Amino acid sequence: MTRWCARVWADRDHYELVRAREDTSVTVPEFPGDPREFTVDLAGDEIAIGRRGVPDEGRAGAETSADDPGIDLTGPPRDPGVSHLHAMLLAVGDDRWVVLDAGSTNGTTLNYGGELLTPGTPVPLESGDTIHVGAWTTITVERR
């Protein structure tokens, strides 16, 4: 059985591209000094990419809920350019995935391209493609 996963990491190359954009509406902070990297197995029909809201009194910060994104970019470090619901990964059949921007504030790009994805429009992914969100976050999808 083929398995897909997503490696999430702070990407200096993506960060420099964001800083170089003339139309950046977010003040880009310094690149994180101690970024974390993690991997998420892609399973199910859809996976939200984004960050949790601020925990309320009835919910401790480490707990998760059904509304939390499958690829949680809450941090640390907190990437200021990531929306609560930034993008979605959708399964297409047994062995294909597409990505779509969910109407994020700062947009989503692929493979270091400068053109933002059109919100709500699915874009097919190949193993090894990179999804760029926020000021420095890159998600590499891989078939294993």
Side-chain angles (χ1 to χ4, degrees):
M1 179 177 179
T2 303
R3 184 182 125 225
W4 283 75
C5 65
R7 180 174 67 98
V8 181
W9 51 293
D11 179 355
R12 171 125 359 230
D13 290 337
H14 171 56
Y15 173 77
E16 294 299 336
L17 289 171
V18 169
R19 285 186 48 174
R21 282 189 201 151
E22 293 179 13
D23 64 343
T24 300
S25 61
V26 173
T27 301
V28 180
E30 292 298 315
F31 189 78
D34 188 22
R36 68 184 180 125
E37 180 177 317
F38 60 96
T39 301
V40 175
D41 287 332
L42 302 184
D45 294 330
E46 61 182 48
I47 298 171
I49 300 169
R51 58 183 171 83
R52 291 188 310 254
V54 177
D56 60 27
E57 291 178 25
R59 185 172 149 206
E63 294 177 15
T64 60
S65 78
D67 295 331
D68 289 344
I71 298 179
D72 185 359
L73 305 176
T74 303
R78 183 178 178 277
D79 186 330
V82 173
S83 298
H84 287 284
L85 177 57
H86 199 101
M88 295 291 297
L89 292 173
L90 305 173
V92 180
D94 291 337
D95 192 33
R96 299 282 300 159
W97 288 87
V98 299
V99 62
L100 61 88
D101 182 90
S104 65
T105 301
N106 296 302
T108 303
T109 61
L110 286 178
N111 300 320
Y112 298 96
E115 188 173 326
L116 297 176
L117 300 184
T118 302
T121 301
V123 178
L125 295 170
E126 298 292 331
S127 184
D129 280 348
T130 54
I131 303 164
H132 308 285
V133 299
W136 56 68
T137 303
T138 291
I139 302 164
T140 304
V141 293
E142 298 175 310
R143 180 185 296 124
R144 294 189 175 170

